[in-house]
Amino acid sequence: MFEHYEVFARVGESTDIVRKEMYEFEDRAGRRLALRPEGTASVVRAFVEHRPVTPWKVWYVAPNFRAEAPQAGRYRQHYQVGVEALGSDDPDLDVEVIALLDGFFRSLGLRRFRLLLNSLGGAASRASYAGALRAHLDAHAGELSAAARQTAATNPLRVLDSKRPEDLAVIEAAPRTLDHLDGPDTEHFERVQAGLRRLGIGFELAPRLVRGLDYYTRTTFEFAADSLDAAQNALGGGGRYDGLTEQMGGPPTPGIGFGAGIERTLLACDAEGVFAAPDRAVDVFVVDVVDGSHALALTSELRAAGIRVDRAFDRRSMKAQMRQADRSGALVALIVGEQEVADGVVLLRRMAGAAQEPVARDRVVEVVRKEVGAS
Ligand code: AMP
């Protein structure tokens, strides 16, 4: 969760994620640390440190931290599942990585999402594009927000991340990265598109998709959920970062990866109703009106058998315990009173119809398991 501050400072000096949203602090030894805002830079740092054999394919699931204004789908701590593949610039690898994320969303049952695809090109294409973009932004400086004007002076590409309404028209009319790709970058991007078509993965070109960090080259992509609000509809995204390893002091090693937001993905699953959230936390509720010791033993036995069970505490009255059983959503209540103890039984009560029957104490686990359908 902690990372050397410099790892991110290097890759995102002029980005919002690093400049405005990163938590950073000094530890007791005076080191400058950051709470990790994203996964890729740390994976590449580890690659440079340990120099594994390439191609190197890794994955992670981890919390990330960003000092944002919390709102639906945007949190200060969120989880990402990500993959990174280092050591090849073959466009087939781009297709493989994109297909993996597409398949992940599909396997959950999601259908209402779109793949947005772009290419930023390599160093030469990016330089040509940056020139054209700078000229466009200069020509329309008067229409931009003050913040965007400032960003334009240092890193014109980052103006395209702006969500401020006053900037949107200028961004919409901005030059397209795809018009500035050189020969090899064009061929690379065409092969990525051909590969996706071959696998039957639909996509839309998104010529202004630059993504929020400076290390991207060539392919960038994002999956947008149509079931979520447009401001927070990115389920996940990624791209190539062919220069990043060198930037971190390692040997030239191309790479590509993605990060997908777990909370966003679950919000989309809810919105599409693709799998039901459990409607109750327990199947069984134990009501012990003797002394609590029977509840202690029964819950322990049932839990050991994999059955979800809860109980009342504080020696509450029968009525209070039954009310709690009702609220718990349990399918059955197991009731133990003086009489049941004397008879060596437990009363099993089906909460839905209120029918109840005595069950021999030593057969409780077996009978309850059949009743609630647990294996
Ligand atoms: P990013 O590195 O910003 O492209 O983030 C990758 C994915 O993580 C996004 O597509 C979102 O699904 C998710 N994500 C990013 N920031 C947040 C956040 N503050 N809260 C929840 N999910 C986030």
Side-chain angles (χ1 to χ4, degrees):
M1 278 185 234
F2 299 163
E3 180 59 89
H4 304 287
Y5 168 84
E6 293 75 17
V7 166
F8 300 111
R10 228 185 264 187
V11 301
E13 247 160 355
S14 57
T15 66
D16 279 1
I17 291 180
V18 171
R19 270 190 37 210
K20 298 193 194 141
E21 297 169 4
M22 194 160 81
Y23 289 99
E24 47 165 301
F25 59 97
E26 227 175 62
D27 73 358
R28 288 177 188 223
R31 284 173 295 214
R32 207 166 167 198
L33 299 180
L35 285 186
R36 176 182 53 213
E38 63 105 43
T40 303
S42 295
V43 171
V44 172
R45 192 263 305 139
F47 175 84
V48 170
E49 211 171 317
H50 302 290
R51 306 283 172 97
V53 176
T54 58
W56 190 57
K57 289 176 164 180
V58 294
W59 71 280
Y60 56 83
V61 56
N64 291 276
F65 303 86
R66 295 179 190 179
E68 309 202 64
Q71 53 196 288
R74 193 170 291 283
Y75 315 111
R76 290 189 174 153
Q77 175 176 352
H78 72 277
Y79 281 77
Q80 283 188 24
V81 57
V83 312
E84 313 291 348
L86 278 82
S88 169
D89 65 1
D90 190 323
D92 282 358
L93 185 57
D94 304 40
V95 175
E96 188 174 290
V97 166
I98 294 171
L100 179 59
L101 188 51
D102 179 74
F104 172 61
F105 293 138
R106 278 184 197 287
S107 70
L108 291 172
L110 291 173
R111 294 294 178 269
R112 294 180 53 207
F113 62 83
R114 286 169 294 127
L115 167 60
L116 310 175
L117 188 69
N118 193 23
S119 175
L120 305 184
S125 306
R126 282 184 60 141
S128 149
Y129 178 68
L133 181 60
R134 196 183 297 272
H136 172 77
L137 296 176
D138 283 349
H140 297 275
E143 299 153 50
L144 288 170
S145 65
R149 269 201 302 278
Q150 214 173 2
T151 310
T154 53
N155 190 342
L157 209 61
R158 295 275 67 88
V159 174
L160 302 187
D161 298 334
S162 168
K163 300 271 185 313
R164 290 178 203 89
E166 59 267 46
D167 299 330
L168 296 185
V170 178
I171 292 173
E172 194 54 40
R176 300 158 23 114
T177 59
L178 296 180
D179 295 330
H180 292 264
L181 299 184
D182 64 16
D185 288 340
T186 302
E187 192 200 331
H188 190 275
F189 192 49
E190 276 169 3
R191 286 188 49 200
V192 172
Q193 295 175 71
L196 290 171
R197 284 195 202 99
R198 181 118 194 233
L199 298 188
I201 297 174
F203 59 86
E204 293 171 21
L205 293 182
R208 285 167 202 95
L209 179 70
V210 294
R211 304 206 21 88
L213 285 155
D214 283 332
Y215 51 64
Y216 287 109
T217 55
R218 292 190 160 172
T219 313
T220 56
F221 60 94
E222 206 158 87
F223 285 84
D226 291 329
S227 57
L228 299 181
D229 275 355
Q232 268 89 239
N233 71 350
L235 294 176
R240 276 207 163 271
Y241 41 82
D242 292 346
L244 184 54
T245 308
E246 260 179 298
Q247 223 180 314
M248 295 251 191
T253 312
I256 179 163
F258 68 67
I262 305 250
E263 293 85 354
R264 292 271 179 93
T265 302
L266 288 173
L267 285 173
C269 288
D270 280 351
E272 288 197 40
V274 293
F275 56 80
D279 52 6
R280 57 177 187 277
V282 295
D283 294 319
V284 180
F285 197 92
V286 180
V287 171
D288 175 350
V289 287
V290 181
D291 58 3
S293 70
H294 305 279
L296 187 73
L298 276 166
T299 48
S300 166
E301 281 170 42
L302 290 162
R303 281 172 190 154
I307 293 164
R308 304 182 306 164
V309 52
D310 204 358
R311 56 166 286 191
F313 293 96
D314 304 320
R315 300 196 179 193
R316 306 177 70 189
S317 70
M318 171 83 172
K319 201 169 152 202
Q321 293 195 41
M322 285 308 295
R323 219 175 14 240
Q324 237 181 307
D326 214 30
R327 270 203 307 261
S328 76
L331 300 173
V332 300
L334 296 177
I335 304 166
V336 188
E338 298 289 0
Q339 190 58 52
E340 284 72 29
V341 175
D343 296 347
V345 298
V346 168
L347 267 189
L348 184 151
R349 181 184 175 104
R350 292 184 192 89
M351 298 304 285
Q356 57 188 42
E357 66 193 59
V359 175
R361 176 64 183 83
D362 56 5
R363 292 194 58 224
V364 167
V365 170
E366 180 193 334
V367 172
V368 165
R369 184 183 272 152
K370 273 202 200 106
E371 198 71 31
V372 302
S375 57

